[in-house]
Amino acid sequence: MTQDSGLAGKAVIVTGGSRGIGRAIVERFAGDGADVTFFYRDNAAAADEVVAAARAAGWAVAAERVDVRDPAACAAAVERVAERCGRIDVLVNNAGVIRDNLLALLSDDDVRTVLETNVGGVFNVTRAVVPHMISRRSGRIVNIGSVAGEKGGRGQTNYAASKGAINAFTRSLAAELASRRITVNCVAPGVIETEMSAAVREQAPDEVRARILLRRFGTAQEVAHAVWFFASRYADYVTGQVLHVDGGFKME
Ligand code: NDP
């Protein structure tokens, strides 16, 4: 049986691709021959390193410094990709931030930053990309949610609200775009070894692991495999789904 994912030559945008899960997604797609452009916010050194490593591997990877909170910047960057590649086949909405604290202690900036990045950013990039997919009657959108979107967590009201919104956004957009042959799905990670989860993992590693059925943290690559599946030809008949890649964390 062939293992061809159908991703070779596809034009892919990954937001937040300079570090962590986003970087693993960029590399998973580029390794299959896709032409990948990733967005990042301000860590140019990390972005440069991803591009250099990709070039060394012979992959097609480009970086754009785009803050997903800025609708005009997102629209302009998406147009540049569409012009260069002639199409946009896959969008992965991965960029996200976390500012955990008890509700009473959250600052206005904590609330605004999390909602504007994790929800507003998804709207900004997706609204710019969708017309390109509609005109070709083809496309794959994969959103990165979180186990926090369904499982309550102390100190996570802003983050959980943002990720719950992504699940709802995924289902409604899937209904809206199905007739245009565009699928929309969501991958919801648990505790994954990246900078974002460092504080949680370092403060109480045994306590957190004890709440995960598989008793370990996940890797960025394990999340990237699930994203790859939704974008690949193996998921032609899958839309509107939220797949938890969390070692069973949601069930505990
Ligand atoms: P990291 O903090 O490791 O990386 C975040 C990435 O997003 C970076 O590339 C960062 O760019 C980019 N980014 C952040 N804000 C913006 C912005 N405003 N505009 C453009 N890019 C931005 O995060 P993870 O890899 O851990 O997380 C990736 C996704 O997975 C997020 O949506 C997160 O919520 C989700 N997730 C993560 C979990 C985990 O345990 N790690 C668990 C569940 C979900 P820069 O380098 O320039 O700052």
Side-chain angles (χ1 to χ4, degrees):
M1 184 190 158
T2 175
Q3 295 293 315
D4 177 17
S5 64
L7 290 168
K10 292 280 164 77
V12 177
I13 293 177
V14 179
T15 67
S18 56
R19 295 187 283 117
I21 292 169
R23 176 175 183 166
I25 295 167
V26 167
E27 294 176 343
R28 188 73 179 80
F29 281 83
D32 265 20
D35 184 340
V36 185
T37 304
F38 70 85
F39 297 172
Y40 68 100
R41 180 185 46 191
D42 52 24
N43 189 339
D48 290 347
E49 199 205 309
V50 176
V51 173
R55 292 225 171 108
W59 297 336
V61 172
E64 289 258 3
R65 187 175 193 151
V66 183
D67 190 326
V68 296
R69 291 171 294 181
D70 179 342
C74 291
V78 166
E79 288 317 302
R80 284 195 293 278
V81 176
E83 213 161 279
R84 185 172 58 79
C85 300
R87 55 203 274 175
I88 297 170
D89 298 297
V90 179
L91 167 63
V92 182
N93 282 307
N94 164 79
V97 291
I98 198 163
R99 298 271 189 94
D100 281 359
N101 213 336
L102 298 177
L103 183 77
L105 301 176
L106 286 171
S107 69
D108 289 347
D109 189 57
D110 290 334
V111 175
R112 197 168 39 237
T113 301
V114 168
L115 294 177
E116 285 182 0
T117 306
N118 299 5
V119 185
V122 171
F123 273 91
N124 292 338
V125 183
T126 309
R127 290 173 76 204
V129 164
V130 159
H132 293 281
M133 292 182 168
I134 287 178
S135 67
R136 295 178 55 83
R137 297 286 190 274
S138 164
R140 299 292 172 95
I141 298 171
V142 186
N143 301 315
I144 305 301
S146 168
V147 68
E150 293 185 25
K151 186 179 169 77
R154 209 169 154 267
Q156 291 212 297
T157 50
N158 58 350
Y159 185 74
S162 76
K163 293 302 187 177
I166 294 309
N167 294 353
F169 176 89
T170 298
R171 288 187 282 263
S172 285
L173 193 62
E176 201 171 304
L177 296 178
S179 65
R180 304 295 195 272
R181 298 201 298 148
I182 299 164
T183 66
V184 188
N185 291 289
C186 174
V187 173
V191 184
I192 308 300
E193 289 164 345
T194 70
E195 284 173 48
M196 178 181 280
S197 66
V200 171
R201 287 183 289 109
E202 282 158 19
Q203 270 162 28
D206 295 338
E207 192 195 316
V208 179
R209 270 198 212 95
R211 295 169 58 205
I212 300 169
L213 282 182
L214 294 180
R215 299 289 184 262
R216 67 172 178 86
F217 305 126
T219 66
Q221 287 73 24
E222 287 171 322
V223 178
H225 291 317
V227 176
W228 171 92
F229 165 70
F230 280 134
S232 78
R233 65 184 183 82
Y234 299 108
D236 280 352
Y237 198 53
V238 183
T239 196
Q241 300 304 304
V242 178
L243 174 60
H244 287 84
V245 179
D246 66 353
F249 189 37
K250 184 167 77 86
M251 294 169 62
E252 280 284 90

